[in-house]
Amino acid sequence: MTTTQIENNWLVLADLFRIASMGFSYPDDASLAQRKTLVQELLASKSLNDEQEKLIAAINESYLPEEILADYSRLYIQKGIPQTESYCTNNMQAVTDVSAFYKAFGITPKSGDSPDALNYELEFTSILLTKIALASNTDQAEIGIDAYNKFIKDHVKSFVEKFCEKLDEMPASDYTRNVASLMLYLVK
């Protein structure tokens, strides 16, 4: 595998995590348009493996902005499915731990938002993967890979699995289910 192919694999993973992050962020008009564009660009790039292409195509086909907004309101505002790791997994150290990861890589969540929110953890993972792909030397890449593996193992994997268990108990749109399937694929 060439350096370019390896870099592209990291960037594809970064885009997949970004799509998952956007899928569980508040769906305002700008973010909805951004989601659609990223999904379509990734499909057009022909850089996905068969399973990734199937997952992204399903997200693309189920993209209905009005339904996405209604689902977000119903699931996270009205029904109160927790979107934070500390609440979802009962890991009371989550905020402190993920904040330390963010700080180490120069990332700061928006003021007032919980750093252990699902969309932030997924977005941070996307940023780590991008840093790995664009690392200027092997040492930088290895630091990023170590951080990525630790962050997935210590936070994202168990959070995503618990979140999806809670989501399975609720009626949700195809779009939400498809994004959840993408998340589970990414942490398996």
Side-chain angles (χ1 to χ4, degrees):
M1 191 177 286
T2 68
T3 302
T4 303
Q5 289 171 316
I6 293 168
E7 179 181 301
N8 286 341
N9 287 339
W10 289 116
L11 290 173
V12 166
L13 274 178
D15 283 345
L16 294 173
F17 270 99
R18 180 133 171 80
I19 289 167
S21 172
M22 294 168 111
F24 293 100
S25 299
Y26 183 78
D28 60 26
D29 290 342
S31 73
L32 285 168
Q34 202 175 26
R35 292 175 198 198
K36 184 70 169 173
T37 299
L38 183 56
V39 164
Q40 290 177 339
E41 286 175 354
L42 200 52
L43 284 170
S45 74
K46 301 296 183 196
S47 55
L48 303 171
N49 67 33
D50 290 343
E51 190 170 0
Q52 293 166 344
E53 186 172 351
K54 180 180 172 187
L55 289 163
I56 297 303
I59 290 170
N60 188 50
E61 291 166 11
S62 61
Y63 177 87
L64 300 167
E66 299 81 23
E67 193 173 279
I68 294 168
L69 181 58
D71 224 28
Y72 187 91
S73 177
R74 181 178 57 255
L75 292 170
Y76 313 118
I77 297 170
Q78 296 170 4
K79 300 286 185 185
I81 293 178
Q83 286 191 291
T84 59
E85 180 184 355
S86 52
Y87 186 84
C88 201
T89 66
N90 291 321
N91 177 1
M92 294 307 127
Q93 277 299 116
V95 171
T96 304
D97 290 349
V98 298
S99 293
F101 271 100
Y102 297 167
K103 185 176 181 180
F105 286 88
I107 308 295
T108 306
K110 290 182 205 170
S111 178
D113 287 348
S114 183
D116 69 331
L118 182 62
N119 62 320
Y120 283 132
E121 288 195 21
L122 296 169
E123 181 68 20
F124 177 69
T125 305
S126 175
I127 291 167
L128 278 176
L129 291 162
T130 302
K131 286 182 175 278
I132 293 165
L134 303 177
S136 60
N137 60 54
T138 304
D139 289 342
Q140 283 182 347
E142 287 176 4
I143 290 168
I145 291 168
D146 288 344
Y148 166 76
N149 288 330
K150 185 165 177 43
F151 195 69
I152 291 291
K153 180 179 146 283
D154 293 351
H155 295 284
V156 180
K157 184 175 180 15
S158 60
F159 183 13
V160 164
E161 290 170 348
K162 293 285 186 191
F163 177 84
C164 288
E165 285 174 15
K166 293 181 184 311
L167 186 62
D168 282 345
E169 297 170 6
M170 302 295 214
S173 69
D174 288 343
Y175 178 84
T176 299
R177 298 246 179 255
N178 291 332
V179 176
S181 293
L182 173 63
M183 281 194 315
L184 287 170
Y185 164 82
L186 291 169
V187 300
K188 69 177 182 184

